Amino acid sequence: MSQVPRSPVSTPEWRAWLVWSVGVAAYVLAITNRTSLGAVGVEAADRFQADASTLALFAVVQLAVYGGMQIPIGVLLDRYGSRPIMTIGMLLMAAGQLTMALSPSVGIAIFARILLGAGDAAIFPAVLRLVATWFPAQRGPIMVQFTGIVGQAGQLIALVPLAALLHATTWTITFGSIAGLGVLFAILVALIIRNHPPERNADVTVNTDTGVIRVVTSAIDTGVGIRAAWAHPGTRLAFWSHFTSPFAGTAFILLWGMPFLTAAQGLDTAHAAGIISVYVIAGMVLGPVIGDLSRRLPNYRSMALVLPAVGVQMLAWVVVIALPGPAPLWLLYILAVALATGGPASMIAFDHARTHNPSHRLSTATGVTNAGGFIAALIAIFLIGLALDLQGAGTPATYSLDAFRVAFLMPIPLWALGVVFILIERKRTRIRIGLDPDPRR
């Protein structure tokens, strides 16, 4: 077996940036695919004659497949590297959108979202692997943050150009066009991306200061590893932090935001798109700020950042739905900014996972943490749809502000549950690492 070179990175800088640029562009398209249904939720309900529970099922199935594929994707990345997995992921998303474009029924449309979720699951982990193998280890953290921030631009593409294209053309042309972009990016990924620089013969990351070389792995350990990760209160704190912080914004942007703003609040599409755009842009701006504060306040992340972000979201959410009539436009913009704090705050969960787990268990702890946000989002999306249906307001023709007021009460118990467990596991974590005394001793 040939030896992995132990010299610092000698790859030309432009080549690393080219590989990353194509990878992050593919991630932008993946985000566009992921949020495409949220931008046209009302039109989707009309096309498929779907009630609110069925419409929610589209998003629930997509997210469930995305989350369920994370472990298999990790295993495949370790075996084959980023290039083939990303190529297949782009083709799966293209197939999903083409199926959505031609779908005559709800059942086929749900199958399309399954393909979409499976393809989407491959992209972000593969891009993070490219960051680790093509850039020096010291640059990894900032490149990961940069990748996440740039990728969120895909939500804006789904929100404005996609919706405009649908209103100007047809459903088939709109989703067929996205499918065509998926094929194009699959070709670009296959032609340009390489698993690792040519002077190396394995996926490794290099610390150019020390010369230390580490093999890059993506797989999540099973069995003992998952049990050991969950046994540490720091991992459970990470799980509940990720469970509690982002799910309302995810439910809003992925499905229910547009119907609420247009059908319930009475806004036109342009104003609704503007509010959701503010949500996306605010998240991109707040990410580096909250990330830096997390670095500066390592022992107070939950109390100073996570719980305040949750509190701001709850307050804005309750005020909007408690008003007797439609909310003023400025208040809806405040709601968008408040919900935008959830995404950056949820990233703190991964700091907890990294801090409280040894390196050989980090992928496992990260996977457990990541599951929290998906579980909460699935529950919230489905319960909102179910609540609309139970009130007889499950279609665009019957959507009403009063029905959405009741349906939007569903996230409140999830926030309350998450806050309680964050406080419990934070206390246990501080005792575990010696910051607080153990009252049982």
Side-chain angles (χ1 to χ4, degrees):
M1 180 178 177
S2 57
Q3 296 295 316
V4 175
R6 293 189 174 275
S7 58
V9 175
S10 58
T11 304
E13 188 83 357
W14 67 266
R15 182 175 292 178
W17 282 105
L18 176 62
V19 168
W20 177 83
S21 297
V22 173
V24 82
Y27 178 48
V28 169
L29 182 58
I31 294 288
T32 301
N33 280 296
R34 185 188 306 171
T35 55
S36 57
L37 191 63
V40 296
V42 174
E43 292 83 354
D46 285 334
R47 176 179 175 84
F48 298 109
Q49 297 300 301
D51 59 22
S53 295
T54 302
L55 195 61
L57 189 61
F58 287 162
V60 167
V61 166
Q62 179 185 333
L63 285 179
V65 172
Y66 181 98
M69 286 295 294
Q70 291 303 301
I71 293 177
I73 289 296
V75 174
L76 291 171
L77 281 171
D78 283 337
R79 182 165 184 176
Y80 298 108
S82 293
R83 180 191 178 196
I85 302 306
M86 286 187 71
T87 302
I88 294 171
M90 298 308 298
L91 291 174
L92 282 173
M93 284 190 288
Q97 295 291 36
L98 182 60
T99 303
M100 198 73 179
L102 303 174
S103 172
S105 65
V106 169
I108 295 177
I110 288 176
F111 176 69
R113 305 311 286 184
I114 290 173
L115 291 175
L116 199 66
D120 183 16
I123 306 304
F124 188 57
V127 176
L128 295 188
R129 190 182 183 93
L130 291 174
V131 168
T133 56
W134 279 90
F135 290 90
Q138 305 95 308
R139 204 182 296 175
I142 191 169
M143 288 301 299
V144 169
Q145 290 285 342
F146 192 30
T147 298
I149 291 171
V150 174
Q152 298 313 305
Q155 297 183 27
L156 295 178
I157 296 173
L159 183 64
V160 182
L162 180 66
L165 181 61
L166 178 60
H167 295 147
T169 59
T170 65
W171 179 277
T172 300
I173 291 174
T174 300
F175 283 88
S177 299
I178 306 176
L181 281 176
V183 173
L184 174 62
F185 271 86
I187 295 171
L188 284 174
V189 166
L191 290 177
I192 296 175
I193 286 181
R194 294 295 181 268
N195 289 344
H196 47 74
E199 71 272 12
R200 302 192 205 139
N201 56 10
D203 286 7
V204 297
T205 183
V206 181
N207 187 314
T208 54
D209 289 339
T210 64
V212 172
I213 296 178
R214 297 182 186 277
V215 175
V216 176
T217 59
S218 304
I220 299 173
D221 299 326
T222 55
V224 174
I226 292 176
R227 289 195 296 272
W230 185 255
H232 197 295
T235 305
R236 300 196 296 272
L237 174 60
F239 173 89
W240 287 109
S241 297
H242 200 263
F243 179 99
T244 314
S245 303
F247 75 86
T250 301
F252 197 80
I253 195 74
L254 202 60
L255 189 60
W256 293 121
M258 268 294 193
F260 172 71
L261 293 172
T262 55
Q265 291 290 334
L267 301 181
D268 57 36
T269 303
H271 280 99
I275 289 170
I276 296 181
S277 297
V278 166
Y279 165 86
V280 177
I281 295 168
M284 297 169 71
V285 172
L286 289 170
V289 176
I290 292 180
D292 186 61
L293 290 173
S294 176
R295 179 182 62 83
R296 295 171 181 271
L297 303 168
N299 294 327
Y300 302 96
R301 292 164 176 162
S302 298
M303 302 302 291
L305 297 172
V306 175
L307 292 179
V310 173
V312 166
Q313 292 178 72
M314 289 181 64
L315 178 61
W317 189 276
V318 169
V319 169
V320 167
I321 65 175
L323 291 177
L329 193 60
W330 61 267
L331 183 57
L332 294 174
Y333 278 109
I334 289 177
L335 174 65
V337 175
L339 293 177
T341 64
S346 73
M347 293 298 102
I348 295 171
F350 296 107
D351 292 334
H352 290 312
R354 184 173 59 252
T355 301
H356 300 298
N357 284 275
S359 58
H360 69 272
R361 212 167 60 210
L362 181 56
S363 291
T364 304
T366 300
V368 170
T369 300
N370 205 24
F374 287 110
I375 291 171
L378 293 177
I379 296 171
I381 289 171
F382 181 73
L383 289 181
I384 290 172
L386 182 62
L388 288 172
D389 278 345
L390 291 176
Q391 298 174 83
T395 62
T398 57
Y399 287 159
S400 69
L401 181 55
D402 287 338
F404 266 101
R405 280 200 189 99
V406 175
F408 273 19
L409 292 173
M410 297 300 106
I412 294 176
L414 295 177
W415 272 319
L417 177 69
V419 167
V420 168
F421 276 100
I422 286 173
L423 293 172
I424 291 172
E425 299 301 344
R426 178 181 184 270
K427 184 65 174 179
R428 290 173 176 171
T429 301
R430 289 179 64 84
I431 292 172
R432 176 73 171 264
I433 63 178
L435 292 178
D436 288 344
D438 189 345
R440 294 174 299 178
R441 293 183 178 177

